[in-house]
């Protein structure tokens, strides 16, 4: 924890009576630096926040007046004493600032899939299924999905092999969809071999993704291109290029084989020609009827005596 304002001092003053032993705070000496006993922070810097801030709680004081050099950090004790000690020393705890209400429970949870929350599943935090556990909840996904590494509460389609069964939905938005990096072909999701045209030199295709790399003396740039490395000889430079993230609907339904696209184009053109021909025939027939009607109206009629 860094002390940036008088509000921090007020909070710390309330908690320090509960401290047990020496607690690490966010002060450390910069690399290759030694303490300056005449400076307010003795040359120490905060690990976060304003690095130039010299504020220290009024109730605190330095325990010793001896110059030390890095790597040294600072701990705080119940009596308000600030102790300079090696950062590798073992203290009795850490004083931290966090927005997470249950941060201190993390050390007691053995399952990394547990998401800390006092409300558990009551607020519907999971996209698919949710299970209440001690200290929080666990989200899980339906078959054909895995947890999204960017948002553990959401799920994304997944296929760990060359071909998988697509996920099909019913209703107004019905259709079959495939994971990213796969294409719908013959009612199956088939892995796209991006190595056909994505990488400039070397390529390693994997399920749903690929890795581009360059030969010795080259370095990888965006879009899988290899360019000569500056500075003469250089070791092999390897980079990773993954396919762009697309909407699942586009990936599964709008990425068919090229031949199928041309079939649809041919059908549309043929349909348009058919409509034009029918329209032409109807118009021509209508004109003939009108001409015949005009001719009948101009024929003279003889008077007949009754």
């Amino acid at each position: 924890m860094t002390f940036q304002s008088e509000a921090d001092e007020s909070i710390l003053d309330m908690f320090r009576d509960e401290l047990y032993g020496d607690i690490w705070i966010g002060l450390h000496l910069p690399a290759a630096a030694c303490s300056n006993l005449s400076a307010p922070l003795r040359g120490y810097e905060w690990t976060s926040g304003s690095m130039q801030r010299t504020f220290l709680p009024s109730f605190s004081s330095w325990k010793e007046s001896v110059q030390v050099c890095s790597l040294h950090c600072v701990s705080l004790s119940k009596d308000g004493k600030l102790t300079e000690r090696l950062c590798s020393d073992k203290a009795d705890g850490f004083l931290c600032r966090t927005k997470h209400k249950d941060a201190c429970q993390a050390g007691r949870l053995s399952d990394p899939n547990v998401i800390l929350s006092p409300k558990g599943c009551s607020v519907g935090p999971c996209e698919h299924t949710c299970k209440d556990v001690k200290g929080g909840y666990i989200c899980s996904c339906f078959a054909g999905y895995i947890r999204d590494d960017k948002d553990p509460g959401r799920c994304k389609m997944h296929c760990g092999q060359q071909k998988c069964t697509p996920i099909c939905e019913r209703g107004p938005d019905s259709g079959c969809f495939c994971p990213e990096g796969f294409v719908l072909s013959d009612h199956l999701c088939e892995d796209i071999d991006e190595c056909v045209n994505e990488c400039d030199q070397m390529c390693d295709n994997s399920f749903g993704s690929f890795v581009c790399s360059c030969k010795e003396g080259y370095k990888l740039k965006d879009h899988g291109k290899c360019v000569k490395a500056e500075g003469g000889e250089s070791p092999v430079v390897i980079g990773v290029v993954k396919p762009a993230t697309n909407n699942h609907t586009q990936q599964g339904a709008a990425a068919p084989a090229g031949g199928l696209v041309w079939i649809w184009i041919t059908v549309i053109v043929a349909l348009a020609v058919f409509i034009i021909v029918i329209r032409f025939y109807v118009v021509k027939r209508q004109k003939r009827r009108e001409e015949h009607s005009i001719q009948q109206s101009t024929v003279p009629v003889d008077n007949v005596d009754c």
Side-chain angles (χ1 to χ4, degrees):
M1 180 177 179
T2 61
F3 305 122
Q4 301 293 325
S5 66
E6 285 71 14
D8 294 333
E9 178 178 5
S10 176
I11 294 173
L12 181 62
D13 194 22
M14 290 187 295
F15 281 105
R16 69 188 181 101
D17 288 337
E18 305 297 329
L19 295 180
Y20 173 78
D22 290 298
I23 308 298
W24 288 119
I25 58 175
L27 280 176
H28 74 288
L29 275 177
C34 295
S35 60
N36 180 3
L37 302 182
S38 60
L41 287 182
R42 293 192 174 184
Y44 285 85
E45 293 181 351
W46 295 112
T47 56
S48 61
S50 174
M51 300 302 177
Q52 305 300 323
R53 187 77 174 183
T54 59
F55 173 81
L56 273 179
S58 59
F59 58 79
S60 64
S61 61
W62 295 97
K63 187 174 183 179
E64 298 178 348
S65 297
V66 179
Q67 187 182 51
V68 296
C69 298
S70 62
L71 299 168
H72 270 72
C73 296
V74 176
S75 65
L76 176 68
S77 58
K78 181 177 181 178
D79 58 2
K81 295 295 183 179
L82 299 172
T83 303
E84 301 167 278
R85 60 178 70 232
L86 290 173
C87 299
S88 58
D89 286 355
K90 182 178 180 180
D92 298 300
F94 301 85
L95 188 62
C96 306
R97 182 199 303 274
T98 177
K99 295 180 180 179
H100 205 301
K101 297 179 180 179
D102 304 288
C104 293
Q105 295 184 20
R108 301 201 300 267
L109 297 174
S110 58
D111 190 344
N113 295 319
V114 174
I115 301 175
L116 302 176
S117 172
K119 297 181 180 179
C121 296
S122 61
V123 295
C126 302
E127 184 177 11
H128 286 180
T129 59
C130 182
K131 178 182 178 182
D132 281 306
V133 295
K134 183 178 180 181
Y137 59 91
I138 296 178
C139 292
S140 57
C141 302
F142 300 148
Y145 292 84
I146 60 172
R147 291 175 62 183
D148 192 336
D149 51 359
K150 296 180 181 179
D151 184 354
R154 298 188 62 83
C155 299
K156 62 181 181 180
M157 286 186 286
H158 173 72
C159 178
Q161 54 191 20
Q162 183 70 26
K163 295 182 180 181
C164 289
T165 303
I167 296 175
C168 299
E169 299 177 355
R170 297 179 180 178
D173 298 328
S174 61
C176 294
F177 310 99
C178 295
E180 295 175 2
F182 288 77
V183 64
L184 189 62
S185 177
D186 295 331
H187 306 291
L188 288 175
C189 292
E190 186 173 353
D191 176 51
I192 301 173
D193 188 0
E194 295 89 354
C195 290
V196 174
N197 52 16
E198 291 291 344
C199 298
D200 196 17
Q201 292 186 359
M202 296 182 291
C203 180
D204 181 19
N205 185 59
S206 59
F207 300 132
S209 184
F210 64 98
V211 177
C212 293
S213 58
C214 299
K215 299 177 182 178
E216 184 174 356
Y218 290 83
K219 62 180 180 180
L220 189 70
K221 293 198 72 175
D222 51 353
H223 305 299
K225 300 297 181 182
C226 293
V227 297
K228 281 193 174 182
E230 299 178 359
E233 296 294 329
S234 64
V236 177
V237 180
I238 298 177
V240 178
V241 179
K242 293 188 176 180
T245 301
N246 294 325
N247 180 274
H248 289 160
T249 302
Q250 296 174 340
Q251 188 69 31
L260 187 58
V261 174
W262 283 110
I263 292 175
W264 276 108
I265 293 175
T266 304
V267 171
I268 293 173
V269 172
L271 183 61
V273 172
F274 177 75
I275 293 174
I276 293 173
V277 172
I278 294 298
R279 177 66 177 171
F280 176 78
Y281 173 76
V282 171
V283 172
K284 188 174 181 180
R285 187 175 180 181
Q286 182 68 25
K287 286 184 177 180
R288 286 180 178 177
R289 287 181 177 178
E290 291 176 356
E291 291 174 357
H292 182 69
S293 176
I294 293 173
Q295 289 177 359
Q296 286 183 342
S297 64
T298 57
V299 174
V301 180
D302 296 334
N303 294 327
V304 180
D305 293 334
C306 295

